[in-house]
């Protein structure tokens, strides 16, 4: 049996990020759509989770957001597929951000329920993965969103729905 701990098989990945507190403070005076577009355009730093997994915000429209990820082996599980938590993080983020695009400054949302249905496996060979979040219903206390994760060929790999609790001032 090969030495699975051999130095030749060792990988290393360095992740850096901006401290989230000052970024949140800078974004506090922006509407959700303004903040999403500022992240997309590089005017605000990406959140630490985006840096950790290495996904990018590509589309920010009212009620709709698209994130993209070029899959890499650091996200694989022991059977050589992308870990399901990767899809969960992408879709949770895309759906929450889709809700944010419709919120004024000072308002936000936090996930209270997340349901994913995995339809096909993903791997580093899946091509660029896109996670689309769409607002279904915006409410004062709860909001609802739907998400679609597609592989590089456009095949639906994961479908998600989520409920978000609304936070912040409600003016």
């Amino acid at each position: 049996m090969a030495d699975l701990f051999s130095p030749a098989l060792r990988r290393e990945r360095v992740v850096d990020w901006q401290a989230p507190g000052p970024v949140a403070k800078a974004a506090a005076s922006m509407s959700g759509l303004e903040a999403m577009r500022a992240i997309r355009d590089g005017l605000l730093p990406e959140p630490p989770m985006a840096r950790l997994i290495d996904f990018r915000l590509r589309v920010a429209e009212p009620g709709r957001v698209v994130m993209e990820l070029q899959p890499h082996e650091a996200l694989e599980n022991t059977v050589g597929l992308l870990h399901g938590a990767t899809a969960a993080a992408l879709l949770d983020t895309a759906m929450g951000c889709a809700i944010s695009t419709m919120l004024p400054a000072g308002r936000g949302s936090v996930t209270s329920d997340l349901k994913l249905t995995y339809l096909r496996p993903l791997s580093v060979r899946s091509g660029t993965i896109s996670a689309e979040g769409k607002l279904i219903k915006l409410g004062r206390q709860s909001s609802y969103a739907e998400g679609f994760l597609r592989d590089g060929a456009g095949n639906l790999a994961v479908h998600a729905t989520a409920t978000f609790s609304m936070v912040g001032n409600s003016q």
Side-chain angles (χ1 to χ4, degrees):
M1 180 187 237
D3 180 6
L4 299 177
F5 294 97
S6 126
L9 298 178
R10 188 121 185 102
R11 305 287 189 268
E12 182 176 297
R13 185 166 182 261
V14 176
V15 179
D16 67 338
W17 64 91
Q18 298 303 119
V23 177
K25 191 172 184 178
S29 64
M30 299 177 179
S31 71
L33 183 59
E34 290 168 334
M36 293 302 108
R37 289 180 172 168
I39 292 169
R40 178 198 65 194
D41 298 341
L43 302 173
L44 281 178
E46 300 165 311
M49 177 58 86
R51 302 287 297 164
L52 179 65
I53 296 175
D54 204 23
F55 62 86
R56 302 285 183 267
L57 175 58
R58 296 294 187 217
V59 176
E61 302 170 346
R64 180 176 174 266
V65 162
V66 178
M67 308 283 181
E68 286 184 350
L69 167 74
Q70 186 60 48
H72 49 86
E73 69 179 7
L75 301 173
E76 289 184 343
N77 58 26
T78 56
V79 295
L81 299 172
L82 291 188
H83 194 285
T86 304
L90 281 165
L91 287 166
D92 180 47
T93 303
M95 292 185 293
C97 289
I99 290 170
S100 291
T101 64
M102 301 300 290
L103 298 178
R107 286 287 275 166
S109 64
V110 295
T111 310
S112 57
D113 179 72
L114 176 64
K115 181 185 183 301
L116 292 97
T117 303
Y118 295 87
L119 304 169
R120 67 175 54 229
L122 295 166
S123 72
V124 296
R125 296 168 300 286
S126 295
T128 302
I129 294 169
S130 67
E132 178 182 22
K134 289 184 175 182
L135 173 66
I136 300 300
K137 182 186 181 301
L138 184 64
R140 285 183 34 193
Q141 294 182 333
S142 296
S143 294
Y144 306 92
E146 186 174 27
F148 307 89
L149 193 113
R150 299 181 187 281
D151 65 17
N155 299 306
L156 184 62
V158 184
H159 176 256
T161 55
T163 306
F164 292 81
S165 295
M166 306 310 291
V167 296
N169 65 39
S170 57
Q171 298 172 0

